[in-house]
Amino acid sequence: MRQLAGTVAVASILFLLASVSVAANEIAATARSLAENVLGRGTVTSLTIADQGATVLIRWESATWRPNLKVDAVRDGLVAEAQLATGSILGRLYTVSKIKFSIKRADAMLASGENNRSKGLSLTFAASLGGGTYVPAAATGQPARSKPAGGSSSTAKD
């Protein structure tokens, strides 16, 4: 009887682990599709599900970066990408509460950050883009600002 109980317990655990794996695969596929609907097909280069489906770790190639753009325009484009891509995931996948992301171009990291349901978007720019952070309007009560490290602020466009 003990052997049967042990076998049932092991089978139950394996079933639960398989269910979590299937759910994580479904979340990953949906998150990738949602992000690529905003950014363009093939832009998501890495996507992982963590914390039993509550966190998405995602990396993508910038859809807005152009070599001829001024730094402020690049920063504004990256903020827009981050808001739209992560917002589309959070808006559709209710089990996801946090998205950690990085945006790159070729081998260069342009920005990284996080969007979560309680705190909203935070974005840190690479030194090549002046460094600093993006501070959303909801967090400050002021218009949204993109703050370069050690420099003045420029108003971010929505």
Side-chain angles (χ1 to χ4, degrees), residues 8-111:
V8 169
V10 169
S12 297
I13 290 171
L14 290 176
F15 177 75
L16 290 174
L17 289 175
S19 297
V20 169
S21 177
V22 168
N25 288 339
E26 290 175 5
I27 292 170
T30 303
R32 179 180 295 273
S33 176
L34 290 165
E36 288 188 346
N37 282 341
V38 170
L39 301 165
R41 181 169 288 194
T43 53
V44 174
T45 59
S46 174
L47 191 141
T48 304
I49 304 300
D51 301 330
Q52 299 175 343
T55 302
V56 173
L57 309 172
I58 185 170
R59 180 181 311 130
W60 69 80
E61 286 282 329
S62 175
T64 60
W65 184 88
R66 301 289 181 272
N68 59 335
L69 291 178
K70 293 183 179 181
V71 170
D72 284 344
V74 172
R75 291 168 68 101
D76 289 346
L78 295 175
V79 168
E81 281 184 41
Q83 287 174 327
L84 292 171
T86 62
S88 70
I89 295 168
L90 289 172
R92 178 72 175 95
L93 295 175
Y94 303 112
T95 59
V96 174
S97 59
K98 182 187 330 180
I99 300 171
K100 293 183 177 186
F101 62 89
S102 57
I103 308 170
K104 63 179 203 154
R105 188 62 181 181
D107 291 330
M109 189 63 60
L110 300 175

